[in-house]
Amino acid sequence: MSAPHILVVDDEPDIRTLLQEILADEGYQVESAENGEAARRARRSRKPDLVLLDIWLPDVDGITLLKEWRGDNGLEMPVIVMSGHGTVETAVEATRLGAYDFLEKPLSLAKLLLTVERALQAEKLARENVGLRRQVQTVFEPVGKSQLMQALREQVERIAQHDSRVLISGEAGSGKKTLARYLHHCSARRDGPFVDVGVAIIARENSAVELFGSEEGEEVHFGRLEQANGGVLFLEDVADMDPETQARLLSAVETQAFRRVGGTEPVKVDVRIIAATHRNLEQEVRDGRFREDLYYHLNVVPLRIPPLREHAEDVPDLLNFYVDRFVDHDNLPYRHFSLAAQNRLRLYSWPGNVLELKNLVQRLLILGSGDEIGLEEVEQALGEASLAAGGLAAPGVLDLPLREARELFEKAYFEHHLQASGGNVSQVAKLAGVERTHLYRKLKALGIDPRQVGGGK
């Protein structure tokens, strides 16, 4: 992982030199700017992890720069303001605009270094809680004592020691994101960001801006690739990436640099890319839907996660794991599976893989009662799953009026495929042969929330 990048903005050469030397000795990467325009160029060239900003500059004051850099969600990096003749009003205004702290000159270098350290730590914690890691959760290793899962964990731990790109393949719901997070957690980049991009849910017209950011005048939007600097960019459903974005990504992978949409200068990044797909990417290449050169760049280390039916002996461990997780994190009542129920679930085919098992456990904890989940309750839950898979073959459905039977089938059909795809509406729309906007209306009419049905992959 690369060291934090600090931008020092001050018009006094001696102060710039002193701060550059002191911060470099502490292991930081340091860049300096002598005025506001140079600061704008430096920030555009590379997003700093922290800015030391003098209030009084020859061309523009620091407050103006703070206002320029303050987006809808505040500043995109911590800023420590410095001034030799600051006032209370200036300090208050800087803080109101999002500055982390206000330091008076002459600077106490000990206090400066402590403030820098605390600002970077605060930014890291904020990023983990509400920023870049949008769905942060405790990192779990893949669950299971089977030979398959033991071998998979060992393989991931070996791969994590290297910085190569990884392509994770596996059926929908098999736990690709969990595996990617575990790989990141085992690597030297573990303290860096893990930025998750659901490629399939990004509108095609927004995908380049979402990934690579944009520039318009002095306004700079930092994309996910730049946000992942020093850490990992996880590309979920990479097969759904449009051709133009594939070309941009290929260039970024080859050069470790890219241009923002509307930008003219290259931006360098240090990012490990982990991509994931439930499709056969080789077939996508043969069919002309995915670039062959990008495929080979992403597939440096292939990693296959097996479907649950191939390691069904892990089902009891997974049941216990998710029961404990929902009890601890969602305050659901504790219930245990009887031995007969566990054996029945070991024999189930799990078309939706670990995600389906997770959803089943959650549903049984929410809707059931009593300390034990028995065979009869499990059979009923699997019967509902069978309805989703078999539709009109379920008992009693053929006796309903046509309209009710059709609605029941449609509801079961879409819930099944949303669960199997992890809530991927685009994928279900393609499978069903309907427009995505039409599918959204249909789901709303049927009372289906894709997020609740699909959960997370």
Side-chain angles (χ1 to χ4, degrees):
M1 177 184 169
S2 56
H5 176 68
I6 296 177
L7 174 62
V8 177
V9 185
D10 199 298
D11 63 332
E12 298 182 52
D14 291 345
I15 291 181
R16 289 200 306 275
T17 301
L18 175 64
L19 292 179
Q20 201 153 5
E21 291 175 351
I22 293 292
L23 292 168
D25 287 344
E26 293 295 317
Y28 298 112
Q29 297 181 32
V30 189
E31 186 176 2
S32 63
E34 69 278 9
N35 55 40
E37 185 54 40
R40 291 181 181 120
R41 287 198 304 270
R43 175 177 170 271
R44 186 180 295 113
S45 174
R46 177 179 177 182
K47 177 181 177 290
D49 296 304
L50 181 142
V51 178
L52 288 168
L53 176 64
D54 189 20
I55 282 291
W56 305 108
L57 298 168
D59 55 345
V60 65
D61 63 272
I63 295 295
T64 299
L65 287 178
L66 279 175
K67 289 177 179 176
E68 286 180 11
W69 295 346
R70 189 168 182 264
D72 294 337
N73 298 317
L75 294 169
E76 292 176 301
M77 65 273 170
V79 177
I80 299 171
V81 171
M82 309 176 294
S83 177
H85 35 270
T87 64
V88 173
E89 290 79 6
T90 303
V92 168
E93 178 67 2
T95 305
R96 187 187 69 79
L97 291 170
Y100 176 80
D101 207 344
F102 185 93
L103 300 179
E104 287 191 87
K105 295 180 179 178
L107 297 170
S108 162
L109 295 181
K111 182 177 181 181
L112 173 77
L113 291 175
L114 182 62
T115 305
V116 166
E117 182 181 350
R118 286 177 174 171
L120 289 170
Q121 183 63 26
E123 173 69 7
K124 178 185 173 186
L125 291 173
R127 185 173 65 229
E128 290 175 349
N129 288 331
V130 294
L132 303 181
R133 304 179 191 181
R134 294 181 177 179
Q135 298 175 356
V136 166
Q137 48 194 292
T138 304
V139 176
F140 300 109
E141 65 178 39
V143 176
K145 301 187 185 74
S146 65
Q147 288 187 351
L148 263 179
M149 295 310 289
Q150 289 183 39
L152 181 64
R153 285 193 295 270
E154 291 170 4
Q155 187 180 10
V156 168
E157 289 160 10
R158 286 196 304 272
I159 293 170
Q161 304 314 308
H162 307 279
D163 219 21
S164 52
R165 291 179 290 277
V166 178
L167 179 62
I168 302 175
S169 60
E171 294 180 5
S174 56
K176 296 184 287 296
K177 187 187 296 185
T178 298
L179 200 68
R181 286 187 181 279
Y182 182 59
L183 194 159
H184 175 54
H185 178 71
C186 294
S187 75
R189 293 177 178 263
R190 66 179 64 87
D191 293 328
F194 180 95
V195 179
D196 171 19
V197 180
V199 175
I201 62 175
I202 301 175
R204 175 168 296 206
E205 60 272 17
N206 296 331
S207 61
V209 172
E210 185 78 13
L211 274 176
F212 303 103
S214 62
E215 294 181 25
E216 188 174 347
E218 298 301 332
E219 187 175 339
V220 178
H221 164 69
F222 299 109
R224 299 292 188 87
L225 183 61
E226 204 164 352
Q227 293 169 5
N229 197 32
V232 162
L233 180 71
F234 177 56
L235 297 173
E236 195 172 7
D237 301 315
V238 69
D240 290 308
M241 185 174 289
D242 65 89
E244 180 186 347
T245 308
Q246 287 182 38
R248 281 179 174 270
L249 180 62
L250 174 66
S251 175
V253 167
E254 288 178 329
T255 64
Q256 285 284 288
F258 65 95
R259 285 181 173 82
R260 302 185 192 98
V261 176
T264 56
E265 298 298 322
V267 179
K268 289 198 169 292
V269 284
D270 171 24
V271 172
R272 180 181 198 169
I273 293 179
I274 302 176
T277 181
H278 62 274
R279 297 190 199 168
N280 183 334
L281 266 194
E282 290 184 351
Q283 186 62 49
E284 295 291 310
V285 169
R286 287 193 290 270
D287 293 342
R289 290 189 292 267
F290 200 84
R291 292 183 65 113
E292 184 177 21
D293 43 8
L294 179 58
Y295 167 70
Y296 286 117
H297 273 85
L298 295 178
N299 194 36
V300 176
V301 179
L303 190 58
R304 176 185 178 268
I305 183 166
L308 183 51
R309 62 183 174 275
E310 291 184 10
H311 57 110
E313 62 266 44
D314 291 322
V315 165
D317 286 336
L318 284 161
L319 294 172
N320 292 331
F321 172 81
Y322 281 113
V323 166
D324 291 341
R325 182 173 170 187
F326 286 125
V327 169
D328 292 341
H329 294 275
D330 294 2
N331 295 317
L332 293 178
Y334 178 81
R335 307 182 71 205
H336 67 273
F337 286 82
S338 70
L339 185 59
Q342 292 183 44
N343 288 336
R344 174 66 180 92
L345 291 172
R346 285 184 64 173
L347 297 174
Y348 181 59
S349 61
W350 297 111
N353 291 295
V354 176
L355 176 60
E356 183 182 1
L357 182 145
K358 173 187 172 184
N359 290 345
L360 178 74
V361 172
Q362 186 177 31
R363 187 161 65 248
L364 289 170
L365 293 182
I366 291 172
L367 300 178
S369 60
D371 294 336
E372 184 174 87
I373 301 170
L375 178 59
E376 184 178 350
E377 191 175 352
V378 164
E379 289 288 7
Q380 183 179 354
L382 293 182
E384 293 168 359
S386 176
L387 170 62
L392 295 177
V397 176
L398 295 176
D399 297 328
L400 294 173
L402 176 61
R403 182 183 176 195
E404 291 181 27
R406 184 174 62 236
E407 287 183 359
L408 185 61
F409 171 75
E410 288 179 341
K411 189 173 190 297
Y413 175 88
F414 289 125
E415 284 181 342
H416 168 74
H417 287 295
L418 283 167
Q419 186 179 72
S421 69
N424 188 326
V425 176
S426 296
Q427 184 180 325
V428 175
K430 188 179 296 184
L431 178 72
V434 299
E435 292 291 333
R436 187 167 61 175
T437 53
H438 175 69
L439 179 56
Y440 274 116
R441 289 195 297 270
K442 172 63 74 175
L443 294 177
K444 185 176 181 181
L446 293 170
I448 298 173
D449 185 339
R451 294 168 297 182
Q452 291 183 0
V453 174
K457 291 186 185 175

